[in-house]
Amino acid sequence: EALVLSREIYARRVVESGVSHECTLLAGSNLANSLYASKLFEEAKTLVRDRLPAAQGSLGADHDVTLMLNKILADALMDNPDRSRDDLRMNPRWYGVDATRSGSQHRR
């Protein structure tokens, strides 16, 4: 039932506020967490990967919602018994990392 409610809330937020609004991204994070808890790893992974660019762009890489989305993605990738090696390779785009930066310039 929690999963059904999370889906409904997220869908309503998308319509009312748009995909980049903080409330929508939070609802998306809650939905992804419900999917993860229900062991629907592929769906959780897809949702998070679709929402991360919006979260990074509108909230920033260090915002709590963006960080939570990253955590859910990492958990879904690691706990999925059907994961592939490609799933475990970090794609800098998912994490807001600029792959052209390195060394002390990249550290905060």
Side-chain angles (χ1 to χ4, degrees):
E1 178 146 336
L3 181 55
V4 172
L5 290 173
S6 291
R7 287 183 196 278
E8 290 174 5
I9 291 167
Y10 177 68
R12 191 174 322 128
R13 284 289 181 190
V14 168
V15 171
E16 292 174 358
S17 304
V19 295
S20 296
H21 191 275
E22 182 177 0
C23 290
T24 304
L25 293 166
L26 180 58
S29 175
N30 291 337
L31 173 55
N33 197 49
S34 292
L35 292 165
Y36 169 78
S38 298
K39 300 194 183 314
L40 298 171
F41 301 118
E42 288 300 317
E43 192 174 348
K45 181 177 73 171
T46 299
L47 176 64
V48 172
R49 284 181 175 166
D50 288 346
R51 296 288 50 97
L52 268 176
Q56 292 163 350
S58 64
L59 304 175
D62 293 332
H63 191 278
D64 287 346
V65 173
T66 307
L67 295 172
M68 182 55 68
L69 287 168
N70 278 310
K71 181 187 181 312
I72 294 166
L73 176 59
D75 290 345
L77 290 171
M78 290 303 297
D79 293 344
N80 184 354
D82 299 324
R83 70 183 176 266
S84 68
R85 285 183 183 250
D86 286 340
D87 282 336
L88 299 178
R89 286 190 177 95
M90 184 180 139
N91 183 331
R93 198 181 56 220
W94 301 330
Y95 300 96
V97 174
D98 183 349
T100 63
R101 294 169 52 186
S102 63
S104 62
Q105 294 174 330
H106 189 66
R107 293 186 196 105
R108 291 185 176 200

